[in-house]
Amino acid sequence: MAGWTNRGKYNTLARYFRAVAFPANFYIILFTSASAPDADTNLVSDLTEITAGNGYATGGISLTRNAADFDVLTEDDGNDRALIQIKDIVWTAAGGNIPSAGGGARYAGLTDDDGVIANREVEEYFDLVSDRTISDTQTLTLQNMEIRINES
Amino acid sequence: MLDVFRLVKKERRLDRPSDTEDWFIITPSKVWPAAIKHIKKVLKSGTFPSGALLSYYTQARELDQSAWKHALQAPDVCPVELRDQRAMALEFARLIFTEMLHNAVGEPIRIYIRRDSKYRLYTEAKVIKEKDRTLLKWLGFSIVKE
């Protein structure tokens, strides 16, 4: 499953309608299955990030707020919604597996860019369906992660 | 090969007068039948393209075959028990066509999908909610592990 966290919904409204400052960047972080994200997830500290090393850096991969990183934007009158896709996110394992220890990556989360990684807010989450371990020299690519706004 | 540029218009939108960039305009009655015809052909061939499309096709072949037929009919015509499958087929048509268009353009794109109740995912305001995604819970992104 994929979905907005309520914190992500709130942040989106606050930033747009109250001119609350946008983060300069977002991040895609990988989490283990130790804690499942849901609509009530707030912070990275609510979840368990995979162990860093071998090509995975703590805090994940940075995204810039621009068309290059959020590369497909759709207004859908057919289903009363709007959608945006994130560019392909790639991790390559080098020198050993990703994660270097502990559980595999079960979830990906889109977060803001707070300087303290544990305090970053989780805006959106994606279920990778099963625990993912990237073998040395292999890659994991998350393609076309899509964020949707529906009125239902 | 589906000629995506033949199916969409690239133009400014009159309802966005201050917008100075083009959109790719999708007219559902023109694009979705062509996309579904193409998808069925690729699924039948068993030879799938690489990248995100490979992942989409691998997942799309798990759908009930009748879903593709129902996707071309209004949602209220579809048997209740197949409505989620029909909606998934339409979502795959959108995702696959979008990916093909994005690949063909080779740069960030904006898409506008016109209203057409025949191709709505569900009859009412219902959308694919989390509980409906349990059937195919990967929908919304794809994973490639090499």
Side-chain angles (χ1 to χ4, degrees):
Chain A
M1 286 182 284
W4 288 80
T5 63
N6 296 327
R7 181 65 57 90
K9 296 167 192 166
Y10 169 86
N11 285 341
T12 300
L13 294 173
R15 289 164 185 153
Y16 189 84
F17 292 107
R18 291 192 173 181
V20 171
F22 285 89
N25 299 93
F26 290 105
Y27 283 84
I28 297 292
I29 300 183
L30 295 177
F31 298 103
T32 73
S33 58
S35 300
D38 60 22
D40 296 335
T41 299
N42 293 318
L43 303 174
V44 167
S45 60
D46 295 339
L47 306 171
T48 303
E49 186 174 7
I50 67 167
T51 305
N54 301 332
Y56 182 84
T58 303
I61 290 178
S62 173
L63 293 170
T64 302
R65 292 191 302 113
N66 60 26
D69 286 3
F70 294 85
D71 54 5
V72 177
L73 182 57
T74 301
E75 180 180 345
D76 182 359
D77 277 357
N79 287 290
D80 299 329
R81 62 184 180 171
L83 315 97
I84 195 162
Q85 289 183 356
I86 300 171
K87 71 174 183 178
D88 290 358
I89 303 294
V90 183
W91 284 276
T92 302
N97 294 348
I98 296 175
S100 59
R106 171 59 193 267
Y107 304 100
L110 177 74
T111 76
D112 71 356
D113 61 353
D114 193 287
V116 178
I117 293 171
N119 291 343
R120 288 183 185 166
E121 295 184 306
V122 180
E123 315 263 353
E124 177 89 8
Y125 58 93
F126 304 89
D127 189 346
L128 308 186
V129 183
S130 61
D131 289 0
R132 308 277 174 174
T133 298
I134 312 170
S135 301
D136 190 14
T137 75
Q138 301 297 297
T139 62
L140 173 68
T141 305
L142 302 182
Q143 297 173 316
N144 299 347
M145 286 186 285
E146 193 168 72
I147 300 169
R148 304 170 186 178
I149 296 180
N150 295 315
E151 188 173 349
S152 60
Chain B
M1 186 64 181
L2 191 67
D3 183 354
V4 292
F5 294 124
R6 186 178 58 80
L7 293 169
V8 295
K9 285 184 177 178
K10 186 182 181 188
E11 60 188 20
R12 304 277 169 81
R13 288 175 56 187
L14 297 177
D15 58 347
R16 297 179 65 97
S18 62
D19 196 338
T20 58
E21 296 179 24
D22 286 340
W23 291 67
F24 287 98
I25 311 292
I26 288 180
T27 301
S29 61
K30 182 176 182 182
V31 175
W32 301 148
I36 288 171
K37 182 179 179 182
H38 174 76
I39 291 167
K40 288 171 68 177
K41 191 175 173 183
V42 172
L43 290 175
K44 189 176 180 181
S45 77
T47 304
F48 302 159
S50 59
L53 289 172
L54 172 62
S55 187
Y56 289 147
Y57 278 114
T58 302
Q59 297 161 39
R61 72 179 170 190
E62 301 300 321
L63 289 179
D64 189 296
Q65 286 305 300
S66 66
W68 303 107
K69 179 186 74 175
H70 292 302
L72 299 176
Q73 300 170 336
D76 55 351
V77 175
C78 181
V80 173
E81 66 273 17
L82 287 173
R83 286 185 182 170
D84 288 342
Q85 292 272 323
R86 173 190 174 277
M88 294 294 178
L90 282 168
E91 281 290 66
F92 275 119
R94 178 184 64 80
L95 288 164
I96 288 172
F97 186 82
T98 296
E99 180 67 9
M100 293 177 71
L101 180 63
H102 189 207
N103 289 342
V105 174
E107 59 185 38
I109 58 173
R110 297 190 301 174
I111 295 171
Y112 172 58
I113 303 172
R114 294 185 196 278
R115 182 173 299 279
D116 187 335
S117 59
K118 180 179 176 183
Y119 295 99
R120 196 172 174 85
L121 297 179
Y122 292 98
T123 309
E124 313 87 18
K126 182 184 176 188
V127 296
I128 295 182
K129 296 176 182 174
E130 296 307 320
K131 66 181 176 61
D132 301 314
R133 292 199 205 179
T134 55
L135 181 67
L136 298 167
K137 59 186 176 184
W138 30 257
L139 196 62
F141 67 98
S142 61
I143 302 165
V144 173
K145 187 178 179 187
E146 298 171 339

